[in-house]
Amino acid sequence: MAVSVVPKETLYVSEPDPAWFGNGKNESSNPGWTNANWLKSRFHFSFAEHTNGKPKFGVLRVLNDDLVQPSRGFGTHPHSNMEIVTYVVDGELTHKDSMGTSESLGRGSVQFMTAGTGVMHSEYNDDDKNPLRFIQMWILPRKRGLKPNYGSYRGGGCDNARDKWVHLVSSVESQADAKAKVDQDVNIYVTELSEAGRKLDLDLEPDRQAYVLAVEGMLTVDLEGASTEKLNQQDAAEIVSKSDRTEQLEFTAVGGTAHVLVVEMANG
C-alpha cells in the first residue's frame, strides 16, 4: 500500500461573502456563532475559487468540510451530472429541492442526490443558536444525463456507529446493505471509536483505494505493520493498494474518541 497524509493545515480554507448565497450580514454579537464568517469550508480538492488544488482522488471529485453558523445556509442553487453525498457531523441540516423534498437531518445522518439532468436545492442551518458541520462529497457518476433522485438515512447520533463500521453508501449495482445508493462504484463507511486504544479493521481489496478523513479526534492508521500514520482532527490520508491480495487497514483511536470517514473506490 502507498499512503499520503493530507494535513488540515495544507487545505484551502474558504470564507465566502454572505451575500453570495443569499445570507444577511455576519452577526458579531450572536453568542452561538463559533466563527466570524457565516461559512468556513475546508476544500480537499479544487473547488469554487480554489483552482490550483488537486483535481480529484479517483471518482471523488469534491470533499468539503463545512461549518455553517446559526440561521445561515446555501440558498437555492443548481447541480447537474454529479452524485452528491452529505454526512452530518453536528447540528441539523435542512434540505429542500426541486423534486419536492424537504427534510432536516441530524448527527450521523447521510443524504444523497443524483443531480443528473439537473436539480435545484438549498441547504440551511435553521437553528438560531447552534452551528452546523457537515461533510459534502461529490462523486463522478458512471454516465451523464441520469434521472434526478434523492434519498437519506436518519442517523441516531454517535451510538449507531460506536466501535463498528456503518456502511453509508454503495453502488446502485451492489448487493451491499448500505444506507444510500449512488450511480458509481464507491463505498463510504463511518465509525466512532469510543475510547483511546479502541481498534477497528477495514479490508482494502486489490486495485482499490481509500480516502480517509479524521472527522473528530485523533487516530492512527496501520498498514499491515508496514507503516503507521497518525491523523489529527480534520487531517486526511490517501491510501492506494499496490498488491494483488486483500490488505488490512487498522484504525486506532488516540487520546480519546475518534470519528472516522472512509471513501473507498477503484484505483484511478
Side-chain angles (χ1 to χ4, degrees):
M1 280 181 282
V3 60
S4 176
V5 174
V6 183
K8 76 172 185 179
E9 292 80 10
T10 66
L11 300 174
Y12 181 88
V13 178
S14 176
E15 300 198 41
D17 189 307
W20 291 4
F21 289 93
N23 292 286
K25 293 181 178 180
N26 292 323
E27 295 185 14
S28 59
S29 60
N30 188 328
W33 280 46
T34 58
N35 190 60
N37 195 54
W38 75 278
L39 172 67
K40 185 172 186 175
S41 183
R42 288 183 166 88
F43 297 164
H44 286 246
F45 307 103
S46 289
F47 186 78
E49 75 273 19
H50 177 44
T51 58
N52 62 348
K54 187 169 184 175
K56 63 186 182 71
F57 179 72
V59 296
L60 182 60
R61 171 61 189 86
V62 168
L63 192 151
N64 291 349
D65 188 342
D66 290 346
L67 179 66
V68 181
Q69 297 307 308
S71 301
R72 294 294 186 269
F74 299 86
T76 303
H77 57 282
H79 290 290
S80 63
N81 294 310
M82 195 65 68
E83 302 292 284
I84 300 174
V85 177
T86 305
Y87 176 67
V88 182
V89 179
D90 266 323
E92 191 169 79
L93 172 66
T94 297
H95 166 98
K96 296 180 181 180
D97 63 45
S98 54
M99 295 176 282
T101 309
S102 179
E103 68 173 346
S104 298
L105 297 168
R107 181 180 174 90
S109 299
V110 64
Q111 61 169 241
F112 75 92
M113 188 168 66
T114 294
T117 54
V119 67
M120 303 286 288
H121 84 137
S122 63
E123 300 156 296
Y124 213 76
N125 179 12
D126 280 331
D127 194 316
D128 62 1
K129 295 182 175 65
N130 299 297
L132 160 70
R133 183 184 169 205
F134 61 88
I135 310 299
Q136 186 159 102
M137 295 154 278
W138 292 14
I139 297 163
L140 298 169
R142 283 192 178 93
K143 59 184 178 180
R144 299 172 64 84
L146 295 168
K147 180 181 178 181
N149 187 31
Y150 175 87
S152 64
Y153 160 73
R154 191 176 298 278
C158 60
D159 289 340
N160 282 22
R162 188 180 301 278
D163 299 325
K164 63 182 179 182
W165 292 112
V166 173
H167 197 171
L168 291 178
V169 174
S170 70
S171 166
V172 293
E173 297 181 358
S174 169
Q175 298 302 310
D177 185 24
K179 307 303 181 185
K181 301 277 188 170
V182 297
D183 208 304
Q184 184 52 272
D185 177 16
V186 66
N187 295 283
I188 301 177
Y189 304 94
V190 68
T191 187
E192 296 202 42
L193 300 173
S194 61
E195 60 184 358
R198 186 71 68 179
K199 301 176 185 292
L200 198 60
D201 297 335
L202 186 68
D203 288 341
L204 187 64
E205 301 290 338
D207 300 316
R208 305 291 288 183
Q209 62 187 34
Y211 198 80
V212 177
L213 176 65
V215 180
E216 296 172 305
M218 295 186 296
L219 64 138
T220 58
V221 185
D222 184 86
L223 311 177
E224 290 198 332
S227 68
T228 300
E229 304 294 341
K230 183 179 179 181
L231 301 182
N232 295 312
Q233 181 165 304
Q234 294 183 299
D235 289 351
E238 299 175 349
I239 303 174
V240 179
S241 170
K242 299 290 186 180
S243 176
D244 58 0
R245 64 176 180 82
T246 299
E247 298 175 285
Q248 194 172 76
L249 307 176
E250 183 182 72
F251 299 83
T252 305
V254 175
T257 60
H259 191 175
V260 189
L261 180 79
V262 179
V263 185
E264 186 270 351
M265 69 206 84
N267 284 355

